[in-house]
Amino acid sequence: MTSYDGIELVVERREPAAEGVLVLTLRHPSGVRLPGWEPGAHIDLLLGPGLERQFSLCGDPADRDRWRIAVLRERGGRGGSAYVHERIQQGDRVRARGPRNRFRLEPADGYRFVAGGIGITPVLPMLAAAEAAGVGWTLLYGGRTRASMAFTGELARYGERVTLAPEDETGLLDLAPVLDGLTEGTLVYCCGPGPLLDAIGERCPAALLRTERFRPAERHPDGDEEFEVVLARSGRTLTVPPDVSVLDAVRGAGVEVLYSCAEGTCGTCETDVLEGDPDHRDSVLTEAERAAGETMLICVSRCRGRRLVLDL
């Protein structure tokens, strides 16, 4: 079995967590300990050919026997969440790959967490980690309705540090209390729908903000041009036409690479850049990482010049 295939798991429990949200608890069928992870990590569920979806781990990182994920049934989605809700039952076998983490909880003097909807999933273990570290924190958690907001029962133990803000009761999230009085040692972690991330990104200093997107940021580049990609390990040179991604060009040449979302949101296809200037179009890399140009997500990003050399 290779890392491309993932590992086989069994669904130990399947239970609702809120309206439209299903929680799956997964374990190895033979009781083998699962790979360790840290808050912010996610796994890929390999649901079928061309149907791979990423879900944040929202259980206890100290529990190496089980992984827990929560799946929102998305209206107008691409079929992954519907598959989980309609077809995966307790006792079923599923394949998973990972964990990977592009949303790590960095050491800080304090944290202000903001979650929108299913964006609570990566934040949930972060709260426990901050609590264990004895660091001050607050959480602002919004959703369409109170009934649609998962894990509110688990959050109740944190008392007044958690503010629940269902939109039908309080309107759109008020970000001012989160961003007022920010100091250099405080980090803001936000996960949720695009409009929420855009709003907090406009008001929060970039150096203090950490975000994770479940859907790609809106980017509509015009005038894409053809360029060359050199695969350093084999010396092969590929031509990438304007309407073809680097990922598709590489796979079309018979080179096996890890990938998952193909939207620039999961980080699976991150590849080292040895030469050239990447045109970053992902929703994963930080501004500092983009400026360094040492890696790129080949599913969406392109080249600013005529040639890239990749560690493939």
Side-chain angles (χ1 to χ4, degrees), residues 145-188:
T145 65
R146 193 173 294 269
S148 72
M149 297 168 64
F151 305 117
T152 54
E154 293 185 24
L155 292 171
R157 65 189 178 103
Y158 294 123
E160 294 183 353
R161 281 174 293 177
V162 173
T163 300
L164 301 181
E167 185 176 349
D168 64 338
E169 299 177 23
T170 64
L172 296 177
L173 289 181
D174 180 9
L175 299 176
V178 176
L179 303 180
D180 286 348
L182 279 179
T183 61
E184 187 176 343
T186 300
L187 293 180
V188 178

Side-chain angles (χ1 to χ4, degrees), residues 49-153:
L51 194 61
E52 301 179 11
R53 296 294 183 268
Q54 300 76 48
F55 300 102
S56 296
L57 291 168
C58 57
D60 180 2
D63 184 357
R64 295 284 300 278
D65 296 324
R66 295 170 183 81
W67 284 343
R68 184 175 72 162
I69 61 173
V71 182
L72 169 68
R73 179 156 190 167
E74 296 188 65
R75 292 173 289 185
R78 296 179 295 151
S81 65
Y83 184 101
V84 172
H85 277 253
E86 295 173 6
R87 300 185 59 176
I88 294 183
Q89 302 298 322
Q90 186 169 319
D92 285 353
R93 303 291 179 97
V94 297
R95 301 199 75 82
R97 189 168 56 215
R100 286 188 310 281
N101 200 337
R102 292 290 313 191
F103 194 42
R104 296 185 185 278
L105 186 66
E106 302 172 20
D109 297 334
Y111 301 101
R112 298 188 184 181
F113 298 103
V114 181
I118 200 64
I120 189 62
T121 50
V123 171
L124 202 60
M126 291 183 179
L127 305 182
E131 186 79 355
V135 177
W137 61 268
T138 61
L139 167 66
L140 175 62
Y141 176 23
R144 291 181 295 103
T145 65
R146 193 173 294 269
S148 72
M149 297 168 64
F151 305 117
T152 54

Side-chain angles (χ1 to χ4, degrees), residues 151-260:
F151 305 117
T152 54
E154 293 185 24
L155 292 171
R157 65 189 178 103
Y158 294 123
E160 294 183 353
R161 281 174 293 177
V162 173
T163 300
L164 301 181
E167 185 176 349
D168 64 338
E169 299 177 23
T170 64
L172 296 177
L173 289 181
D174 180 9
L175 299 176
V178 176
L179 303 180
D180 286 348
L182 279 179
T183 61
E184 187 176 343
T186 300
L187 293 180
V188 178
Y189 275 77
C190 182
C191 185
L196 170 60
L197 297 180
D198 293 340
I200 202 165
E202 292 172 358
R203 306 176 196 181
C204 182
L208 304 181
L209 180 61
R210 306 291 184 269
T211 62
E212 181 172 63
R213 290 181 180 268
F214 291 140
R215 292 187 177 180
E218 292 293 327
R219 292 190 175 90
H220 303 285
D222 296 320
D224 283 343
E225 296 184 358
E226 180 179 285
F227 60 94
E228 291 184 345
V229 168
V230 179
L231 309 183
R233 298 183 195 177
S234 66
R236 298 177 63 185
T237 298
L238 309 178
T239 298
V240 182
D243 57 347
V244 174
S245 70
V246 176
L247 173 65
D248 287 343
V250 170
R251 294 184 66 239
V255 179
E256 189 174 22
V257 292
L258 278 174
Y259 74 98
S260 186

